[in-house]
Amino acid sequence: MPSDVEKWKSEVYGNDILDHLYEFAEEGWESIPGDEHDAWFERFKWWGLYHQRNGQESYFMMRIGTPNGVLKPGQTEVVADIAEEYATGPASNPEFGDSWVDWTTRQSIQLHWIKLEDVPEIFEKLDEVGLSTQQACGDSWRNIVGCPVAGKDKHEHVDALPVAMELHDAFKGNEEHTNLPRKWKVSVTGCREGCGQGDINDLAFEPATKEIDGEDVRGFNVRVGGGLARNEPRLAKNIDVFVTPDRAAEVAGGISALFREHGDREDRYNARIKFLMDEWGPEKFRRVLQEDFVDFELETAGEDLRDEYSYNSGYANGGHSDHVGVHEQKDGNYYVGLNVLVGRMGTDDTAELARVANEYGSGEIRVTQRQNVLITDVPEENLDALLEEDLLEHYSPDPHPFMRGSIACTGTEFCSLSIVETKNRQVRFARWLKENVELPEGVEDFHIHLSGCTASCAQPQIADVSLRGMKTRKDGEAVEALDIGLGGGLGENPQFADWVKQRVPVDEVPGAIENLLANFEERRNGDETFREFVERTDEETLAELVEPEETSYEDPMMHNTKMTWYPYADDDGMDASPAPTDREDKPLPADD
Amino acid sequence: MSVALRTLDDGAWISVNDTREVSVSELWRFPGGNFCSCDLSDVVVEGFVETGVDGRTVEVRAYGQCIACGAKATTDWLPVGRVVDGEFRDVDRESVLCPQVAPAATAAAHR
Ligand code: HEM
Ligand code: SF4
Ligand SMILES: [Zn+2]
């Protein structure tokens, strides 16, 4: 029996949702029939709108897709304006104020507290500068990710940006590919450092060289079936295909069509292509692709560059593990990577970012998969003045390792799936660690990723310290807790973390990290990295080295933040929620 | 009266008549036995597997982990609420839940 979601999709999906969305926006929140909420909220995702969690009815998260993380000149200021005007809710956040922009791990943008009634206006403003929310969520081609400095990187193997943009143009709004069995995440990377993170995407194009007719041709090897969600993380599998940049779209279309035809529509838990890959294996996958979904003879895989990958790798092999800092581009200009702690930037700061980018660079901004932003195209003579800007004090190109290494997802603040508070907590963790814990000598990269649930939006399994939301009892009371994982990282031989210590009450987590680092320092061989140390240590020993402990760190959000209407409201009880509200955030009369 | 029952958000919520009513991450206590070797399992609910109605009782099977012994398993059918006059009412899930002996009558997996 097809799932409810498949039934809803078969009725209305894709571009057709828009007319309905506009009609509901026109007539207001209450015009959505009560017994069609689940169906419409599922469909709205296709247009980038995610209904927020319980207690926040009538408010939406809006995701804007920025292919390859590129915000063209003129776009960032519009995002800031929209956030300022529309992304405000009935309460404020103690760290981030009344409105902000979230830069995400898939190089997109998320805004919160959006009212349905405002959506047409917002879409119009986005459209004017060439931005869109189309397919930002839902069962289709999501935002295409890649190396954020594609086309500018001095050492890149191929410039993958035109390919990412071609895929974006070809598959956004393409009726043949708008209703897939599940989300479809694509990564296109041309650089040597692996910062497109292809391994954790459904479909990955990775830099490679292939000898064809006696000539070395640059292009991509293809991998399929990666993903982190649901306790079932998978690395994408090599399907032994090489493709040239000009044929990448054709092959991508074939693979997407294969997924459309063969993916599981009966069981959403089993629908991602990683499960089809489990069932078929790469050889059968390649055979079916060749026989039924592409019209030309596929090349076998070429020589890859995976042994050079450094991004999120935890190894010190000379490559970057992020894009923070000042780096020369191939045209002699510079890009300046700013650290955005947990990816959240106030709207004023976002407007300021746009101003600074216009003044010193080309006005372009790029978003990375570590929730950071880059100001690109800065001529050398502008660097000093740029580095003097106040904005860069807060969003530093040279941050403390604990600030630099922090990633956190949305969490109970807005997300229905979440078990714990995340972003603000990670800010508190990072500050406490910075003030209280010395990193072992020479350790400049230390990544801590916090996800509120097993969906793994913060990519916890590929960090030095992996944290994910859990619950436990402490002194008999239910409290928020985190599982602690170690050993994850990308690079040539990517590994997912082992969850070595489970259900650590949140107030004991900073102490656990402190003790872990002290134990690492004591046992460290020479200047090995933390990941290298973890790799040569067995799991049982690692579990002993974690040692959760209460410290001077105090957590104000130990209680069940999921049961609040908003964790930071003065009166946070569900009953105090103003939602659902009208366009002006005024409570709507109850309809019984 | 028919009740629209389904799991949403990848198994994170039970929706009853288009309203999210029961969520993962609650701690549920129930007599061990089938779930783990504890007398009283104390399970953090991580995902709903199936939901159904037995008469007026809304029941679920959930995947989770006992925080006392660490065992991971899927529960038997557990009552989580009742539908009275078309409205969902919680049962007290903080006290001990009683597993149903027989499988729910109109159980259906909604995914
Ligand atoms: C209300 C529901 C959800 C919200 C608000 C949400 C939010 C997000 C956000 C914010 C990101 C980017 C992470 C960041 O930078 O903060 C993200 C990425 C991601 N989401 Fe979600 N998400 C939701 C549901 C899901 C579900 C149901 C799944 C899996 C079945 C999922 C899997 C992922 C994964 C795996 C990533 C990032 C990793 C990757 O690049 O593949 N999310 N999501
Ligand atoms: S990891 Fe879970 S809690 Fe965090 S944003 Fe994703 S779905 Fe929500
Ligand atoms: Zn790169």
Side-chain angles (χ1 to χ4, degrees), chain A residues 409-412 415-420 422 450-458:
Chain A
C409 74
T410 305
T412 46
C415 174
S416 329
L417 281 72
S418 191
I419 300 178
V420 299
T422 52
L450 168 58
S451 252
C453 79
T454 59
S456 305
C457 303

PDB file of all heavy atoms in Angstrom, chain A residues 409-412 415-420 422 450-458, ligand 2:
ATOM      1  N   CYS A 409      22.563  21.912  14.550  1.00  0.00           N
ATOM      2  CA  CYS A 409      21.347  21.967  13.727  1.00  0.00           C
ATOM      3  C   CYS A 409      20.295  22.845  14.406  1.00  0.00           C
ATOM      4  O   CYS A 409      20.562  23.538  15.369  1.00  0.00           O
ATOM      5  CB  CYS A 409      20.815  20.564  13.486  1.00  0.00           C
ATOM      6  SG  CYS A 409      20.029  19.858  14.955  1.00  0.00           S
ATOM      7  N   THR A 410      19.078  22.768  13.905  1.00  0.00           N
ATOM      8  CA  THR A 410      17.999  23.629  14.391  1.00  0.00           C
ATOM      9  C   THR A 410      17.509  23.254  15.790  1.00  0.00           C
ATOM     10  O   THR A 410      17.331  24.112  16.656  1.00  0.00           O
ATOM     11  CB  THR A 410      16.822  23.577  13.393  1.00  0.00           C
ATOM     12  OG1 THR A 410      17.316  23.928  12.108  1.00  0.00           O
ATOM     13  CG2 THR A 410      15.724  24.517  13.799  1.00  0.00           C
ATOM     14  N   GLY A 411      17.245  21.979  16.010  1.00  0.00           N
ATOM     15  CA  GLY A 411      16.866  21.522  17.341  1.00  0.00           C
ATOM     16  C   GLY A 411      15.474  21.915  17.790  1.00  0.00           C
ATOM     17  O   GLY A 411      14.659  22.411  17.008  1.00  0.00           O
ATOM     18  N   THR A 412      15.209  21.713  19.088  1.00  0.00           N
ATOM     19  CA  THR A 412      13.849  21.915  19.605  1.00  0.00           C
ATOM     20  C   THR A 412      13.352  23.349  19.473  1.00  0.00           C
ATOM     21  O   THR A 412      12.177  23.604  19.673  1.00  0.00           O
ATOM     22  CB  THR A 412      13.728  21.560  21.105  1.00  0.00           C
ATOM     23  OG1 THR A 412      14.820  22.136  21.795  1.00  0.00           O
ATOM     24  CG2 THR A 412      13.683  20.076  21.324  1.00  0.00           C
ATOM     25  N   CYS A 415      12.267  22.613  15.393  1.00  0.00           N
ATOM     26  CA  CYS A 415      12.155  21.384  14.605  1.00  0.00           C
ATOM     27  C   CYS A 415      11.339  20.311  15.328  1.00  0.00           C
ATOM     28  O   CYS A 415      11.601  20.004  16.485  1.00  0.00           O
ATOM     29  CB  CYS A 415      13.555  20.855  14.303  1.00  0.00           C
ATOM     30  SG  CYS A 415      13.550  19.271  13.481  1.00  0.00           S
ATOM     31  N   SER A 416      10.367  19.737  14.626  1.00  0.00           N
ATOM     32  CA  SER A 416       9.490  18.719  15.240  1.00  0.00           C
ATOM     33  C   SER A 416      10.215  17.441  15.587  1.00  0.00           C
ATOM     34  O   SER A 416       9.749  16.668  16.398  1.00  0.00           O
ATOM     35  CB  SER A 416       8.383  18.285  14.299  1.00  0.00           C
ATOM     36  OG  SER A 416       7.992  19.265  13.456  1.00  0.00           O
ATOM     37  N   LEU A 417      11.301  17.184  14.915  1.00  0.00           N
ATOM     38  CA  LEU A 417      11.961  15.907  15.143  1.00  0.00           C
ATOM     39  C   LEU A 417      12.879  15.932  16.357  1.00  0.00           C
ATOM     40  O   LEU A 417      13.262  14.907  16.885  1.00  0.00           O
ATOM     41  CB  LEU A 417      12.797  15.510  13.914  1.00  0.00           C
ATOM     42  CG  LEU A 417      12.047  14.910  12.736  1.00  0.00           C
ATOM     43  CD1 LEU A 417      11.237  15.958  12.035  1.00  0.00           C
ATOM     44  CD2 LEU A 417      13.004  14.266  11.764  1.00  0.00           C
ATOM     45  N   SER A 418      13.223  17.110  16.779  1.00  0.00           N
ATOM     46  CA  SER A 418      14.314  17.224  17.730  1.00  0.00           C
ATOM     47  C   SER A 418      13.975  16.718  19.123  1.00  0.00           C
ATOM     48  O   SER A 418      12.833  16.773  19.563  1.00  0.00           O
ATOM     49  CB  SER A 418      14.756  18.674  17.836  1.00  0.00           C
ATOM     50  OG  SER A 418      15.963  18.709  18.559  1.00  0.00           O
ATOM     51  N   ILE A 419      14.994  16.272  19.800  1.00  0.00           N
ATOM     52  CA  ILE A 419      14.858  15.785  21.167  1.00  0.00           C
ATOM     53  C   ILE A 419      15.447  16.788  22.156  1.00  0.00           C
ATOM     54  O   ILE A 419      15.047  16.847  23.298  1.00  0.00           O
ATOM     55  CB  ILE A 419      15.550  14.406  21.275  1.00  0.00           C
ATOM     56  CG1 ILE A 419      14.867  13.428  20.301  1.00  0.00           C
ATOM     57  CG2 ILE A 419      15.505  13.855  22.690  1.00  0.00           C
ATOM     58  CD1 ILE A 419      15.466  12.059  20.260  1.00  0.00           C
ATOM     59  N   VAL A 420      16.399  17.587  21.708  1.00  0.00           N
ATOM     60  CA  VAL A 420      17.061  18.527  22.616  1.00  0.00           C
ATOM     61  C   VAL A 420      17.266  19.905  21.977  1.00  0.00           C
ATOM     62  O   VAL A 420      17.199  20.055  20.753  1.00  0.00           O
ATOM     63  CB  VAL A 420      18.454  18.000  23.056  1.00  0.00           C
ATOM     64  CG1 VAL A 420      18.331  16.675  23.797  1.00  0.00           C
ATOM     65  CG2 VAL A 420      19.386  17.862  21.866  1.00  0.00           C
ATOM     66  N   THR A 422      19.612  22.788  20.701  1.00  0.00           N
ATOM     67  CA  THR A 422      20.900  22.586  20.026  1.00  0.00           C
ATOM     68  C   THR A 422      21.737  23.858  19.832  1.00  0.00           C
ATOM     69  O   THR A 422      22.799  23.993  20.428  1.00  0.00           O
ATOM     70  CB  THR A 422      20.688  21.947  18.639  1.00  0.00           C
ATOM     71  OG1 THR A 422      19.724  22.716  17.934  1.00  0.00           O
ATOM     72  CG2 THR A 422      20.235  20.508  18.757  1.00  0.00           C
ATOM     73  N   LEU A 450      26.760  19.007  16.733  1.00  0.00           N
ATOM     74  CA  LEU A 450      25.610  18.634  17.567  1.00  0.00           C
ATOM     75  C   LEU A 450      24.329  18.581  16.740  1.00  0.00           C
ATOM     76  O   LEU A 450      23.918  19.573  16.148  1.00  0.00           O
ATOM     77  CB  LEU A 450      25.462  19.671  18.689  1.00  0.00           C
ATOM     78  CG  LEU A 450      24.173  19.662  19.513  1.00  0.00           C
ATOM     79  CD1 LEU A 450      23.948  18.312  20.178  1.00  0.00           C
ATOM     80  CD2 LEU A 450      24.230  20.755  20.575  1.00  0.00           C
ATOM     81  N   SER A 451      23.709  17.408  16.718  1.00  0.00           N
ATOM     82  CA  SER A 451      22.412  17.245  16.052  1.00  0.00           C
ATOM     83  C   SER A 451      21.368  16.882  17.092  1.00  0.00           C
ATOM     84  O   SER A 451      21.646  16.096  17.998  1.00  0.00           O
ATOM     85  CB  SER A 451      22.471  16.125  15.007  1.00  0.00           C
ATOM     86  OG  SER A 451      22.436  16.639  13.706  1.00  0.00           O
ATOM     87  N   GLY A 452      20.171  17.425  16.908  1.00  0.00           N
ATOM     88  CA  GLY A 452      19.117  17.189  17.890  1.00  0.00           C
ATOM     89  C   GLY A 452      18.470  15.825  17.806  1.00  0.00           C
ATOM     90  O   GLY A 452      17.747  15.417  18.708  1.00  0.00           O
ATOM     91  N   CYS A 453      18.695  15.112  16.696  1.00  0.00           N
ATOM     92  CA  CYS A 453      18.105  13.780  16.557  1.00  0.00           C
ATOM     93  C   CYS A 453      18.905  13.004  15.524  1.00  0.00           C
ATOM     94  O   CYS A 453      19.861  13.516  14.955  1.00  0.00           O
ATOM     95  CB  CYS A 453      16.636  13.868  16.156  1.00  0.00           C
ATOM     96  SG  CYS A 453      16.359  14.191  14.396  1.00  0.00           S
ATOM     97  N   THR A 454      18.456  11.793  15.235  1.00  0.00           N
ATOM     98  CA  THR A 454      19.238  10.940  14.331  1.00  0.00           C
ATOM     99  C   THR A 454      19.159  11.358  12.865  1.00  0.00           C
ATOM    100  O   THR A 454      19.866  10.793  12.039  1.00  0.00           O
ATOM    101  CB  THR A 454      18.792   9.466  14.431  1.00  0.00           C
ATOM    102  OG1 THR A 454      17.397   9.403  14.102  1.00  0.00           O
ATOM    103  CG2 THR A 454      19.014   8.906  15.816  1.00  0.00           C
ATOM    104  N   ALA A 455      18.313  12.339  12.520  1.00  0.00           N
ATOM    105  CA  ALA A 455      18.298  12.807  11.126  1.00  0.00           C
ATOM    106  C   ALA A 455      19.668  13.363  10.741  1.00  0.00           C
ATOM    107  O   ALA A 455      20.025  13.395   9.575  1.00  0.00           O
ATOM    108  CB  ALA A 455      17.210  13.839  10.903  1.00  0.00           C
ATOM    109  N   SER A 456      20.418  13.832  11.725  1.00  0.00           N
ATOM    110  CA  SER A 456      21.830  14.183  11.516  1.00  0.00           C
ATOM    111  C   SER A 456      22.077  15.378  10.621  1.00  0.00           C
ATOM    112  O   SER A 456      23.047  15.408   9.867  1.00  0.00           O
ATOM    113  CB  SER A 456      22.605  12.981  10.959  1.00  0.00           C
ATOM    114  OG  SER A 456      22.453  11.878  11.792  1.00  0.00           O
ATOM    115  N   CYS A 457      21.215  16.375  10.706  1.00  0.00           N
ATOM    116  CA  CYS A 457      21.377  17.560   9.871  1.00  0.00           C
ATOM    117  C   CYS A 457      22.686  18.291  10.135  1.00  0.00           C
ATOM    118  O   CYS A 457      23.200  18.969   9.257  1.00  0.00           O
ATOM    119  CB  CYS A 457      20.201  18.507  10.067  1.00  0.00           C
ATOM    120  SG  CYS A 457      18.625  17.726   9.719  1.00  0.00           S
ATOM    121  N   ALA A 458      23.227  18.180  11.330  1.00  0.00           N
ATOM    122  CA  ALA A 458      24.502  18.842  11.627  1.00  0.00           C
ATOM    123  C   ALA A 458      25.702  17.959  11.283  1.00  0.00           C
ATOM    124  O   ALA A 458      26.831  18.295  11.600  1.00  0.00           O
ATOM    125  CB  ALA A 458      24.561  19.252  13.096  1.00  0.00           C
TER     126      ALA A 458
HETATM  127  S1  SF4 C   2      19.038  16.757  13.139  1.00  0.00           S
HETATM  128 FE1  SF4 C   2      16.989  16.333  13.827  1.00  0.00          FE
HETATM  129  S2  SF4 C   2      16.660  17.951  15.323  1.00  0.00           S
HETATM  130 FE2  SF4 C   2      18.324  18.659  14.072  1.00  0.00          FE
HETATM  131  S3  SF4 C   2      17.327  19.894  12.484  1.00  0.00           S
HETATM  132 FE3  SF4 C   2      17.612  17.801  11.703  1.00  0.00          FE
HETATM  133  S4  SF4 C   2      15.681  16.834  12.063  1.00  0.00           S
HETATM  134 FE4  SF4 C   2      15.754  18.623  13.385  1.00  0.00          FE
END
